[in-house]
Amino acid sequence: MTEVVDDRRGGGAVGTPVPHRVELSVTGMSCAACAARVERRLNKLPEVSASVNYATRTAVVSASPGASVDALCAEVEKAGYAASPKDPVVAEAGDEDADTARLLFRRLIVAVALFIPVADLSILFSVMPSARFTGWQWLLLVLAAPVVLWCAYPMHRACWRGLRHGSTSMDTLVSTGIITASAWSVYSMLTMDDQRTTTGVWDAVTNVDTLYFEVACGVTVFILAGRYFEARAKSTAGRAMRSLAGMVPGEVEVLLRDGGTMTIPTGELKVGQRFTVRPGQRVAADGRVVDGSAGVDTSAMTGESRPVTVRPGDRVTGGTVATDGWLLVEATDVGEDTRLAGMIRLVDEAQQEKGSTQRLADRISAVFVPCVMVLAVGTGLVWFLTGTDATEAVTNAIAVLIIACPCALGLAIPMALMVATGRGAELGIFVKGTGAFDVSRSVDTVIFDKTGTLTTGQPTVEFFRVVDSFDGGEELDGTDLLAAAAAVEDASGHPVSRAVVRRYRELHGDTPLPEITEFHASHGQGVGATVNGHRVQVGSTAWLCTGQSLPPDHLADAERIRRQGGTFIVVAVDGRPVAGIGVVDEPRASAASAVEQLQARGIHCMMLTGDDPVTARALAAQVGIDWPDDVIAGVLPADKVGTVRRIRSTGARAAMVGDGVNDAPALAAADLGLAVGTGTDVAQDAADIIVVRDDLTTVVDALGLARATGRTIRGNLVWAFGYNVAAIPLAMSGLLNPLVASLAMAFSSLFVVGNSLRLRRVGGHPSPERPSPENPEVATWG
């Protein structure tokens, strides 16, 4: 068995216990500083390693197998937040962000309705002191109180909760700013002189006399508005995950032993149970059809636009839809073991994973708030001690508190990754970690495996010709030779082997194959076994025709089939070649388009195959890969890893695209491994990205999405860091009014969210296999 070696990632020692992985849903976090605080709290526990993602509100904890989930949740609560176990199998079908947006919208409406008259009256009374009447201050207080107390209550609650636990967050800055402005206004209204005059309109507008009720209300309005649109945007970004989760039916009708049926929750379905699927219903779990026939819509999983007809013996995937007919399916994989659950888990894990840049941003956010508090106090003291009146000193201090909120910094990376992984799921691209996005940006070479990747992986037998002089005696005559070859090939999982078996079934139906003994497989060469006392081998000419040759007409057949891009294999009995089989595997309809699009974007395309040079050259010409420079033929499975390493040693940043068991080591050895979704589980386990659609242009989408994500993250970080670096000195110098500061702070978060949402438009290349893409916009490359 070939050992899978990963050149890029370090592995643990053999026998190292695998930590128990727990996901917790954390509520009450308002910024990246909150996430960092929860993370620090959990990591203080013995034998616990935690990572908390603010954008997805999830804590991923690796702990010893005996760790108590309740104890982990209690630790989160000690930090001032709430936590509960998260379903590790299927993403929540509900939309928490949409619920949050609705609650924020109610408070926002009240805040806006009261802020408008407060702001208008404040300006009026400041510009036209003659308009003031007895008790005008109390009118402003009555109008502002609901905004400051009720509308801003979530911020005050989060601030108080953090202070009780000795921590600070964005809410600390906002709440302190609102309370400071309100308290100073109450103090001023109790001590001010109603006859105070202003020096001008601009002074009146910017200082609003000495009352800051409109500032407190305005900050509340802008913060609520920013959070409302942020929650709406997160809800949009998570739509793909909810769509995937919604593909699992809530109930399933199972067949009882007495022949009756019973409807049970899908979560209670067990392996081996048989369940029915009626027209319009979704398949509840992965399984094998035991009775019935139906068209199954697999577009959500594979991108195939037309329903696929399934019959007894065929496999079906959970989440697909029966368009017609009736099926009785025996469950083979349920719950977390289904393919759909695996895809959802990949997206979820990719969203939780943090890169080095994200961890740096989290650390900065964690210390940022206390530093800002010190700067705000220092700003107020400096202005006051240098002779400025207390009003202006307080104004500048409040502006520093408001402008410096690190929301944009906390959202810069997780928001982009959240949108990108969701968009990837829509396109049939599932990323196993954020590291794949980093590597994909620098890929300049794509290496394609031939069989099952550039080709359909469903080869057909074009001819089966027996040598005229063959005589196997009574035990194995010419008529039984195909059956013997099919019996040997049936023990192999290679696509060519399956083609031979299918050819036998087409001719002989359900007639049993002969029994075989002493089966043996030679990697990359062929298979052999004993059939009716004869040693029957099926494989390459190089393996079976050493020192011998087939008749000239057979050799002509071999040359013809190779020039078509097919494969010619030989059947040998007791060491003597006795038959030739021509197998043709058509290239995927999207192969040429994918190669063309990659080359147009400056990506070098290569093909790796175990076939002989003649066959390899024919297929390369069909898909547009240059011969002989970019085709490596005659490569045995064990040599694929060395070939990939050799390509990388030239300085190329190589991505490997494959599907078979023998591709797994090469997928792991490449800088980036992409497994097509129809491939084996081993290949998918070794890959960094799984492409579930039978459309190679999705590889173009995958690389384009990764590059667009990288640009978006860089743009978000430049804005988030640049905004705070530039804005804080402006606020400290007295050039920013608190209202302007709150508006700028809200805009910075919305900029990051909006920039990230642009990733939802990436991808969707037209191709022969995808004539009507859901979104025709082509991914941009940079």
Side-chain angles (χ1 to χ4, degrees):
M1 180 177 177
T2 305
E3 181 183 2
V4 177
V5 180
D6 192 335
D7 289 333
R8 300 157 292 150
R9 301 176 286 268
V14 176
T16 301
V18 179
H20 178 52
R21 188 177 187 277
V22 178
E23 289 190 12
L24 304 177
S25 179
V26 182
T27 57
M29 296 190 298
S30 60
C31 66
C34 300
R37 181 162 58 256
V38 175
E39 189 172 294
R40 286 197 307 272
R41 187 89 189 194
L42 289 171
N43 284 325
K44 288 181 180 179
L45 297 175
E47 298 184 20
V48 169
S49 175
S51 175
V52 181
N53 190 307
Y54 163 56
T56 59
R57 296 185 298 274
T58 302
V60 180
V61 184
S62 295
S64 58
S68 168
V69 176
D70 292 338
L72 296 175
C73 292
E75 201 65 27
V76 174
E77 291 172 2
K78 289 178 182 178
Y81 306 92
S84 60
K86 187 176 181 180
D87 189 341
V89 179
V90 179
E92 298 176 6
D95 187 354
E96 184 177 344
D97 288 307
D99 295 338
T100 301
R102 283 191 289 271
L103 295 175
L104 288 172
F105 185 71
R106 296 173 190 168
R107 295 182 188 270
L108 177 60
I109 290 297
V110 174
V112 170
L114 293 176
F115 167 65
I116 292 175
V118 169
D120 290 343
L121 290 174
S122 296
I123 295 175
L124 174 65
F125 293 148
S126 299
V127 176
M128 298 179 59
S130 59
R132 297 175 180 177
F133 53 85
T134 303
W136 64 274
Q137 308 100 314
W138 295 98
L139 174 61
L140 292 178
L141 175 61
V142 170
L143 291 173
V147 180
V148 171
L149 298 177
W150 182 77
C151 297
Y153 173 72
M155 307 165 206
H156 301 322
R157 180 181 56 191
C159 173
W160 172 245
R161 183 172 53 203
L163 293 176
R164 281 196 302 121
H165 295 88
S167 60
T168 57
S169 67
M170 187 201 90
D171 285 307
T172 307
L173 300 180
V174 175
S175 178
T176 302
I178 294 172
I179 291 174
T180 301
S182 301
W184 183 261
S185 298
V186 172
Y187 168 78
S188 296
M189 64 177 280
L190 296 176
T191 58
M192 74 164 28
D193 181 2
D194 283 352
Q195 302 304 314
R196 179 180 184 270
T197 59
T198 62
T199 59
V201 174
W202 174 252
D203 178 63
V205 173
T206 54
N207 289 285
V208 197
D209 215 344
T210 55
L211 296 186
Y212 288 104
F213 287 127
E214 83 289 353
V215 171
C217 293
V219 168
T220 303
V221 167
F222 293 137
I223 298 299
L224 286 176
R227 292 190 177 183
Y228 166 70
F229 289 113
E230 179 184 316
R232 285 283 303 274
K234 285 184 179 181
S235 175
T236 301
R239 190 178 300 157
M241 285 292 288
R242 293 192 300 277
S243 176
L244 284 176
M247 290 169 61
V248 181
E251 296 180 330
V252 58
E253 186 180 18
V254 297
L255 185 67
L256 302 177
R257 292 186 177 182
D258 60 5
T261 61
M262 181 176 67
T263 300
I264 63 172
T266 302
E268 297 179 7
L269 185 66
K270 301 292 190 295
V271 173
Q273 283 187 304
R274 296 184 174 186
F275 60 91
T276 62
V277 183
R278 304 182 188 279
Q281 290 184 341
R282 291 191 179 273
V283 180
D286 296 352
R288 179 178 57 85
V289 178
V290 296
D291 192 14
S293 175
V296 177
D297 179 3
T298 64
S299 58
M301 295 293 289
T302 67
E304 173 61 46
S305 58
R306 293 179 296 274
V308 178
T309 301
V310 295
R311 299 180 177 85
D314 292 335
R315 296 185 65 84
V316 290
T317 304
T320 54
V321 182
T323 58
D324 54 49
W326 173 89
L327 296 174
L328 181 63
V329 180
E330 181 178 311
T332 57
D333 296 289
V334 299
E336 64 178 7
D337 296 325
T338 63
R339 187 182 182 194
L340 175 61
M343 297 299 101
I344 295 174
R345 190 161 52 246
L346 283 179
V347 176
D348 191 45
E349 289 174 356
Q351 290 180 351
Q352 309 312 329
E353 185 177 318
K354 291 185 181 181
S356 57
T357 307
Q358 177 62 56
R359 287 191 289 270
L360 174 62
D362 288 349
R363 287 197 295 270
I364 293 174
S365 297
V367 300
F368 194 76
V369 174
C371 292
V372 170
M373 298 288 289
V374 173
L375 287 176
V377 173
T379 297
L381 288 175
V382 168
W383 278 92
F384 183 74
L385 295 176
T386 54
T388 305
D389 62 33
T391 296
E392 188 171 352
V394 171
T395 299
N396 295 335
I398 294 174
V400 172
L401 287 174
I402 301 302
I403 198 70
C405 292
C407 292
L409 184 60
L411 286 170
I413 297 176
M415 191 68 199
L417 293 177
M418 184 178 179
V419 178
T421 51
R423 177 57 178 160
E426 292 177 342
L427 295 173
I429 303 164
F430 292 87
V431 184
K432 285 188 174 181
T434 57
F437 284 120
D438 296 331
V439 174
S440 299
R441 295 201 302 269
S442 60
V443 165
D444 55 25
T445 302
V446 174
I447 307 168
F448 290 98
D449 173 59
K450 171 185 170 284
T451 304
T453 304
L454 285 175
T455 64
T456 62
Q458 297 293 325
T460 58
V461 173
E462 183 168 302
F463 64 81
F464 179 89
R465 179 177 292 188
V466 181
V467 174
D468 294 337
S469 60
F470 169 68
D471 182 9
E474 294 182 0
E475 298 88 359
L476 192 66
D477 60 26
T479 306
D480 296 330
L481 189 56
L482 177 59
V488 176
E489 294 279 47
D490 192 43
S492 170
H494 194 277
V496 172
S497 300
R498 293 196 294 268
V500 175
V501 176
R502 279 198 303 272
R503 179 60 174 166
Y504 173 81
R505 294 298 182 197
E506 290 171 2
L507 297 176
H508 301 286
D510 295 331
T511 304
L513 291 168
E515 293 185 3
I516 65 171
T517 58
E518 300 175 340
F519 175 83
H520 176 73
S522 296
H523 255 325
Q525 296 177 319
V527 293
T530 300
V531 183
N532 293 333
H534 292 271
R535 186 64 182 172
V536 179
Q537 295 169 290
V538 186
S540 66
T541 55
W543 185 44
L544 297 177
C545 293
T546 304
Q548 307 178 64
S549 64
L550 290 166
D553 54 345
H554 285 256
L555 295 177
D557 287 337
E559 185 68 15
R560 177 175 59 83
I561 205 73
R562 289 188 184 111
R563 291 189 181 279
Q564 294 176 9
T567 302
F568 182 80
I569 56 177
V570 175
V571 181
V573 175
D574 297 329
R576 184 167 63 94
V578 297
I581 305 176
V583 180
V584 177
D585 189 3
E586 297 292 334
R588 291 181 187 267
S590 60
S593 177
V595 171
E596 180 184 4
Q597 291 181 31
L598 287 171
Q599 291 174 340
R601 288 160 175 78
I603 301 295
H604 184 202
C605 295
M606 303 182 69
M607 183 175 75
L608 198 62
T609 177
D611 286 335
D612 60 76
V614 176
T615 301
R617 181 177 184 176
L619 182 68
Q622 294 176 23
V623 300
I625 295 178
D626 293 338
W627 168 271
D629 297 338
D630 297 333
V631 178
I632 304 176
V635 181
L636 296 176
D639 297 332
K640 286 186 177 181
V641 172
T643 303
V644 171
R645 288 173 178 163
R646 188 166 60 253
I647 293 172
R648 291 180 62 203
S649 68
T650 64
R653 296 285 284 177
M656 176 72 190
V657 185
D659 75 310
V661 172
N662 55 24
D663 295 326
L667 291 172
D671 292 292
L672 182 74
L674 295 97
V676 294
T678 53
T680 63
D681 292 340
V682 177
Q684 294 186 17
D685 287 342
D688 301 291
I689 297 176
I690 296 175
V691 177
V692 300
R693 295 185 172 178
D694 295 332
D695 184 348
L696 285 182
T697 58
T698 310
V699 173
V700 184
D701 290 336
L703 296 178
L705 178 63
R707 294 190 175 195
T709 302
R711 287 197 308 274
T712 300
I713 289 176
R714 289 193 296 272
N716 286 350
L717 287 175
V718 168
W719 171 262
F721 280 109
Y723 159 80
N724 281 301
V725 169
I728 293 177
L730 289 177
M732 294 176 66
S733 62
L735 298 178
L736 286 180
N737 179 275
L739 272 180
V740 177
S742 61
L743 181 60
M745 191 278 292
F747 173 75
S748 71
S749 297
L750 292 179
F751 173 86
V752 167
V753 171
N755 192 41
S756 300
L757 286 177
R758 292 170 59 244
L759 291 170
R760 298 192 72 247
R761 301 195 301 269
V762 170
H765 297 274
S767 77
E769 291 178 3
R770 189 165 54 195
S772 300
E774 187 176 308
N775 188 334
E777 181 165 333
V778 176
T780 54
W781 289 54

